[in-house]
Amino acid sequence: MNKLQQEIDIIYRDILILDLTSERICCGEELKQFHWRCFHVSTLSAAIKSLQKYNVHVAIALISKTQLQRVLHTINALNEAQNSLIWVAISVDSALDNDQLASCLPRYFTDYHHLPINWKQLNHTLGHAYGMSKLKKRSKPPINHPNHENQLLGNSSQINTLRSNIAKVAKVDEAVLISGETGTGKGLCAHLIHSQSKRSNGPFITINCGALPASLIHSELFGHEKGAFTGADKQYIGHIERAHKGTLFLDEIGDLSLESQVNLLQFLEDHIIERLGGSVAITIDCRIIFASHINLETAVEEGRFREDLYYRINILHLHAPSLREHKEDITLLVDEYLKQYSPSEQLFTLTAKALKTMYEYQWPGNIRELKNRIHRAIIMANNDQLTATDLGIKIVNLQSDGEDVINLAQHRVEIDTELLLDAIKRNSHNISAAARELKISRTTFYRLIKKCKIKL
């Protein structure tokens, strides 16, 4: 009884073990002697449940060569759910080379260990990480100094106006609709609204409505109970419920089915959900930001989008301008991405002709295309001065008489085809890896392949 009481009196610190490998390393008993209480998870949903249920500040990720990208993707999602997490990596794969580690360690992990594990040394690392997580939770990064991935880059009047409007809408808690072409940074705008709002310490949850089949949208949004349908072998917490006390970002809202639009409208009215197959009403406190690359007014006229939902979500409206509308920012954007993607020992630059070509180009893929072209050129170039050829940009002259004017839609297909094919080749025809490189889902990747008539 005395021994049991002693264990009860010990203050254990909770730690999450993310294991997406097949190693199944048992850390629980080994770390228990150092007063760590381990929660092993092997899926994203299980990890999110643990974060919601337990007082987790530090997490260990088991990494291997085959699962590295999957692990990093999961870590990104968990960091969105709880941004005070500090991660420590344990490499279970001797084939994981130093270059792969060097590229991800500074961004994701405070430290890493190899097998066999030195448990005393790991405990020291975890203790340091635990202290850092406490500081991270108490401190809030200054809004005016975001990192390079979270900046709204540009000094043009269009970008300055957008930046000012983001600050205004962030102060209130109403729904926001962000319109703009694909690649203009609508997701970044949503992140900035969240980070500058009173909900900044809460989760920021994203779902791309165009990346999921219509049959899965309801379950992804509202969740489901075990046994709700064939294959539902466990409870699933939906994106809306995960966003409690935070922000839910619904990207490509125009691709939502009419049936799902009805359910979403009901939630917007009362902020109550029921998981699929459940009977318990759950009240959710979250702000919703919507984004669409299609014209929703036109979609309403064509009967593809509910008019009542459109007016309900269009309370505050922001427009992300196309790159064609603020070409004066191209030099600034180029400088930023050259610094971002250049290796530490080598800084790439553009030839004067290449920069001139970039100003003449129409950028159908907007800032995302510019970013991807620079990234690809740095990887493939033979020297550190990038040319228009390295960037893969071809200028088509427009005829002043109106004949043979370039079809921008067709030009966009050609650009998408080139980007997709290059990504497929670089990733040895691994579609999942190619999709991750372009930061799109597998579903969207396959849809673009079909649109561009690419034969795998």
Side-chain angles (χ1 to χ4, degrees), residues 60-79:
I60 292 175
L62 304 185
I63 59 175
S64 66
K65 184 175 183 179
T66 57
Q67 296 294 334
L68 181 60
Q69 291 303 319
R70 183 183 170 207
V71 171
L72 298 182
H73 177 78
T74 304
I75 289 175
N76 283 331
L78 293 175
N79 286 341

Side-chain angles (χ1 to χ4, degrees), residues 9-126:
D9 291 339
I10 292 174
I11 299 176
Y12 283 92
R13 295 167 293 178
D14 294 340
I15 187 167
L16 186 75
I17 313 293
L18 177 65
D19 184 4
L20 304 183
T21 72
S22 58
E23 294 294 325
R24 300 294 181 263
I25 296 175
C26 182
C27 300
E29 289 303 315
E30 297 288 352
L31 291 176
K32 187 177 180 180
Q33 62 179 311
F34 302 108
H35 305 154
W36 294 101
R37 182 170 63 161
C38 298
F39 300 98
H40 289 258
V41 296
S42 57
T43 64
L44 174 59
S45 59
I48 289 175
K49 285 182 184 178
S50 294
L51 293 182
Q52 294 171 339
K53 187 174 181 179
Y54 303 107
N55 188 30
V56 176
H57 298 287
V58 177
I60 292 175
L62 304 185
I63 59 175
S64 66
K65 184 175 183 179
T66 57
Q67 296 294 334
L68 181 60
Q69 291 303 319
R70 183 183 170 207
V71 171
L72 298 182
H73 177 78
T74 304
I75 289 175
N76 283 331
L78 293 175
N79 286 341
E80 286 185 355
Q82 183 173 319
N83 59 14
S84 63
L85 277 177
I86 299 290
W87 289 88
V88 174
I90 295 180
S91 174
V92 301
D93 189 352
S94 59
L96 192 61
D97 58 50
N98 290 331
D99 289 339
Q100 289 173 301
L101 286 172
S103 66
C104 70
L105 277 174
R107 293 182 58 191
Y108 291 90
F109 306 107
T110 187
D111 203 347
Y112 80 101
H113 292 252
H114 289 289
L115 297 181
I117 298 171
N118 183 323
W119 296 104
K120 288 185 179 179
Q121 187 176 351
L122 178 59
N123 172 59
H124 182 270
T125 298
L126 295 176

Side-chain angles (χ1 to χ4, degrees), residues 117-337:
I117 298 171
N118 183 323
W119 296 104
K120 288 185 179 179
Q121 187 176 351
L122 178 59
N123 172 59
H124 182 270
T125 298
L126 295 176
H128 176 70
Y130 190 82
M132 292 299 295
S133 71
K134 293 288 189 180
L135 293 175
K136 187 175 181 181
K137 190 172 183 180
R138 286 200 299 266
S139 65
K140 185 177 178 181
I143 289 173
N144 293 328
H145 298 87
N147 62 47
H148 68 267
E149 291 185 345
N150 292 320
Q151 292 185 52
L152 187 61
L153 298 171
N155 294 318
S156 61
S157 60
Q158 292 89 340
I159 295 300
N160 285 331
T161 297
L162 178 59
R163 192 179 289 118
S164 174
N165 288 338
I166 286 173
K168 290 176 182 177
V169 302
K171 295 178 181 178
V172 297
D173 210 33
E174 299 290 346
V176 180
L177 174 62
I178 306 173
S179 62
E181 297 177 9
T182 299
T184 52
K186 299 187 291 295
L188 173 58
C189 292
H191 269 284
L192 291 173
I193 292 170
H194 171 74
S195 66
Q196 297 178 32
S197 73
K198 64 182 182 181
R199 296 180 178 271
S200 59
N201 288 327
F204 179 86
I205 305 298
T206 299
I207 183 169
N208 188 325
C209 300
L212 290 171
S215 58
L216 295 180
I217 282 287
H218 188 279
S219 176
E220 288 293 326
L221 284 176
F222 298 95
H224 63 253
E225 298 289 354
K226 182 178 179 180
F229 51 84
T230 302
D233 55 352
K234 56 187 174 181
Q235 184 190 71
Y236 178 75
I237 305 299
H239 284 68
I240 291 178
E241 192 172 346
R242 293 184 215 169
H244 184 58
K245 296 298 182 181
T247 302
L248 175 67
F249 176 45
L250 293 179
D251 200 7
E252 304 304 355
I253 187 66
D255 293 334
L256 204 61
S257 68
L258 289 171
E259 180 183 357
S260 297
Q261 291 175 31
V262 173
N263 295 325
L264 180 60
L265 180 62
Q266 182 61 44
F267 167 70
L268 292 174
E269 294 297 332
D270 55 26
H271 281 257
I272 294 175
I273 67 166
E274 283 187 13
R275 300 191 194 112
L276 190 64
S279 57
V280 178
I282 304 171
T283 301
I284 304 296
D285 173 22
C286 74
R287 180 186 198 169
I288 307 186
I289 301 175
F290 305 89
S292 177
H293 72 282
I294 67 171
N295 188 315
L296 291 182
E297 289 187 356
T298 301
V300 169
E301 293 174 1
E302 296 174 352
R304 294 183 289 115
F305 201 82
R306 290 180 61 94
E307 185 175 15
D308 49 359
L309 178 58
Y310 171 69
Y311 288 116
R312 181 64 183 80
I313 69 176
N314 194 26
I315 298 173
L316 298 171
H317 183 200
L318 299 179
H319 178 71
S322 67
L323 186 53
R324 296 184 300 279
E325 298 175 70
H326 59 109
K327 281 189 174 182
E328 59 266 41
D329 288 326
I330 285 179
T331 299
L332 185 152
L333 293 166
V334 167
D335 288 345
E336 174 60 34
Y337 295 133

